[in-house]
Amino acid sequence: MPRTVWDSTLGKKTVMAVSGLIMLAYLVVHMLGNLKIFFGSDEFNGYAHWLRTLGEPFLHYEWALWITRVALVVAVVAHATAAYQLSRRDLRARPAKYVHKKRRASYATRTMRWGGVILGLFIVWHILDLTTGTLHPGGFQSGHPYQNVIDTFSTWYGNVVYLVAVLALGLHIRHGFWSAAQTLGAGSRTRDRALKTTANLLALVLTVGFVSVPVAVMTGVVS
Amino acid sequence: MKLTLRVWRQRAADADGAMSTYDVDGISPDMSFLEMLDTLNEELILRGEDPVAFDHDCREGICGACSLVINGDAHGPERTTTCQLHMRSFADGDTIDVEPWRASAFPVIKDLVVDRSAFDRIIQAGGYITAPTGAAPEAHATAVPKPDADFAFEHAECIGCGACVAACPNGAAMLFTSAKINHLNVLPQGAPERETRVLDMVERMDDEGFGGCTLAGECATACPKGIPLVSITSMNKEWLRAARKAGKR
Ligand code: HEM
Ligand code: SF4
Ligand code: FES
């Protein structure tokens, strides 16, 4: 069964759809959590601390966080590996281009690959910036995410990198959510509009939610 | 009508090809696209040149033999087959680009003719039913619900032309394969091979070197028979169901 799935184009696409939806679900929660920054440093830092005590006493300190991290790393690696292998196959299947060129697929559809690469690079930078602090501008303070976020969005490149990535995410979700429904066989003629609307809504809500944080820091609403 | 044609010329499968320019005159708007090419070929033969090779058979839009990418569109600007496309869809003085289907699973044999036997092998992998041979059975012996019959008919319309592959940016054969699977899998006659059919045909499709689906939707736009994009969704569902069942065994 696992071989049947991974060796098949349909199976690999299924892996992409499932891992993509897992990341999407995480991002919705992550975006909502980020909005706590609008309630001040105590509440935001307190929320970050709560994430570490989540599941206690059944789970040990930080276990819930580490379980989530492992699941996300598995999802990102599976998603990116399948994306890479399928893309290679697609390019090989259509080596000769037409002399008469036409462009029809939507922007979101055409940017899935490059958008995905941008997202992958962003994920690495984002972790090095705000989780480990390795690339953080100014002194990284563990346990004080409120200050760390303000530091990052006080640099021009922090804002640029973040905004580009969030816009890429919006486009990725716009095509990706609807795509995943088709891959998993959940689409149908009658459900198509609802699925496309949901995809657009998810893309919009995530983009606006994530963008609101750097915008708030830039405009001084959060300081 | 007077037209300028830019046609892909390639002497043999392993030769290099290029676009060649030809002027044709005296084209009637009521000619089909293939008749227009016939006119060009008659001239070429008179001039002692090699006529342009292209595939065709029924010229009625039912066999699936004709296959040209016209101005970047598989089967040209109308939703029909190349043989049913008429010159009235073009204007006097137009320059028209004519290219073969492009996909590594459909290698060019000569000029505009490509080898589509990969489709035959996908069919051989499961695009059939096991039925007792002999006299045709009584048509009403097996009841088929109306919506299922309609679904099967819609997919049975696929003529195997390959325009879906030609239009797909990934050279994928998903629309063709899904049409063939859906057509049989929904019917009681196709039920005994329901799982093996989808697993084997998809495996064959992959082995032939077709690409994967990124749901760009170009295939369904190009399909002369209106096979919808959602057919691929139905195939995915059948495949997942079959893979789960195979996993349990
Ligand atoms: C590691 C970085 C990433 C890469 C390289 C990547 C790449 C891709 C590619 C190439 C596709 C297929 C596009 C297509 O079929 O046209 C895809 C689909 C998808 N991606 Fe990503 N992506 C990445 C990150 C993400 C993230 C963070 C999410 C979560 C929100 C996500 C969610 C999805 C979904 C839901 C799909 C649809 C799956 C399907 O078509 O069945 N991706 N991705
Ligand atoms: S699905 Fe449509 S485009 Fe593809 S082979 Fe069948 S008839 Fe031709
Ligand atoms: S020649 Fe038969 S479909 Fe065009």
Side-chain angles (χ1 to χ4, degrees):
Chain A
M1 167 88 176
R3 277 250 74 92
T4 322
V5 171
W6 190 250
D7 285 347
S8 161
T9 47
L10 298 199
K12 238 173 231 167
K13 199 78 206 276
T14 306
V15 171
M16 286 192 75
V18 173
S19 56
L21 290 178
I22 291 171
M23 292 189 282
L24 174 60
Y26 165 78
L27 286 177
V28 171
V29 178
H30 186 35
M31 185 275 288
L32 292 174
N34 287 358
L35 296 182
K36 284 219 135 53
I37 202 156
F38 290 99
F39 299 108
S41 74
D42 285 351
E43 197 158 333
F44 191 68
N45 291 345
Y47 165 69
H49 180 71
W50 171 79
L51 286 178
R52 281 149 182 86
T53 58
L54 186 67
E56 282 182 17
F58 179 66
L59 295 177
H60 187 66
Y61 180 75
E62 279 198 349
W63 275 22
L65 198 62
W66 275 105
I67 291 168
T68 314
R69 283 171 176 168
V70 170
L72 283 173
V73 167
V74 170
V76 170
V77 170
H79 193 83
T81 310
Y84 174 77
Q85 294 186 355
L86 282 174
S87 299
R88 287 266 324 239
R89 181 190 180 89
D90 295 347
L91 295 175
R92 238 183 298 129
R94 180 66 181 283
K97 302 280 167 268
Y98 290 110
V99 173
H100 193 111
K101 293 199 170 45
K102 280 223 162 165
R103 228 185 216 163
R104 272 162 301 213
S106 77
Y107 190 71
T109 312
R110 281 188 278 117
T111 49
M112 287 304 274
R113 286 180 195 148
W114 281 111
V117 171
I118 291 177
L119 286 176
L121 293 174
F122 171 76
I123 292 170
V124 174
W125 174 77
H126 189 59
I127 292 172
L128 293 178
D129 176 29
L130 288 171
T131 308
T132 64
T134 322
L135 287 182
H136 190 69
F140 181 80
Q141 304 173 52
S142 183
H144 296 278
Y146 188 87
Q147 189 54 44
N148 295 335
V149 167
I150 289 178
D151 290 346
T152 290
F153 293 134
S154 301
T155 62
W156 67 267
Y157 63 86
N159 286 314
V160 170
V161 170
Y162 189 88
L163 290 178
V164 167
V166 171
L167 292 180
L169 176 71
L171 285 170
H172 204 81
I173 296 302
R174 188 185 145 105
H175 180 69
F177 179 78
W178 174 82
S179 259
Q182 311 308 316
T183 302
L184 299 176
S188 76
R189 254 175 269 239
T190 44
R191 233 178 281 154
D192 204 53
R193 272 189 78 158
L195 281 170
K196 283 199 166 124
T197 312
T198 312
N200 286 340
L201 251 146
L202 274 169
L204 190 73
V205 168
L206 277 177
T207 308
V208 171
F210 277 124
V211 160
S212 71
V213 177
V215 168
V217 176
M218 277 190 266
T219 54
V221 174
V222 168
S223 61
Chain B
M1 295 169 83
K2 203 170 144 76
L3 299 164
T4 304
L5 297 176
R6 299 202 307 156
V7 184
W8 181 262
R9 299 304 307 263
Q10 182 174 337
R11 294 174 64 84
D14 50 7
D16 286 335
M19 298 296 270
S20 293
T21 308
Y22 302 97
D23 289 316
V24 281
D25 204 351
I27 300 298
S28 152
D30 296 329
M31 280 183 177
S32 75
F33 200 87
L34 298 185
E35 284 169 328
M36 184 274 293
L37 286 180
D38 292 339
T39 310
L40 169 68
N41 276 347
E42 279 163 15
E43 263 181 48
L44 291 179
I45 291 168
L46 283 179
R47 295 210 305 247
E49 290 179 36
D50 196 19
V52 177
F54 60 88
D55 258 330
H56 62 105
D57 189 11
C58 71
R59 298 208 175 193
E60 300 183 347
I62 53 172
C63 74
C66 58
S67 55
L68 301 176
V69 171
I70 303 163
N71 283 342
D73 288 318
H75 288 307
E78 315 280 344
R79 174 166 277 208
T80 185
T81 54
T82 297
C83 59
Q84 292 294 297
L85 174 70
H86 291 90
M87 296 315 293
R88 64 183 87 97
S89 299
F90 301 89
D92 191 28
D94 273 2
T95 298
I96 306 174
D97 289 336
V98 191
E99 297 174 72
W101 281 178
R102 291 290 189 199
S104 49
F106 284 171
V108 173
I109 298 173
K110 184 171 197 269
D111 295 339
L112 302 169
V113 179
V114 299
D115 178 0
R116 282 172 284 182
S117 56
F119 268 13
D120 299 336
R121 291 187 291 273
I122 294 177
I123 294 292
Q124 280 163 14
Y128 50 80
I129 58 165
T130 41
T133 51
E138 155 64 31
H140 291 293
T142 314
V144 179
K146 177 79 165 78
D148 291 355
D150 288 348
F151 185 86
F153 265 122
E154 186 183 7
H155 290 101
E157 277 198 62
C158 167
I159 53 176
C161 62
C164 42
V165 176
C168 177
N170 311 321
M174 297 282 170
L175 198 67
F176 165 78
T177 310
S178 72
K180 298 302 172 194
I181 290 168
N182 293 338
H183 162 206
L184 297 177
N185 268 25
V186 71
L187 293 172
Q189 290 86 346
E193 297 92 7
R194 184 174 168 185
E195 288 86 24
T196 51
R197 175 176 301 115
V198 59
L199 293 175
D200 293 348
M201 287 178 78
V202 167
E203 189 182 342
R204 190 72 239 174
M205 174 187 80
D206 286 348
D207 289 348
E208 293 292 341
F210 291 104
C213 184
T214 54
L215 291 146
E218 306 278 358
C219 53
T221 310
C223 175
K225 297 297 160 183
I227 307 294
L229 188 57
V230 71
S231 299
I232 298 176
T233 311
S234 306
M235 170 176 72
N236 293 341
K237 197 170 171 180
E238 282 295 308
W239 188 87
L240 287 169
R241 179 183 169 279
R244 265 198 314 273
K245 279 195 135 185
K248 277 188 207 130
R249 257 199 302 273

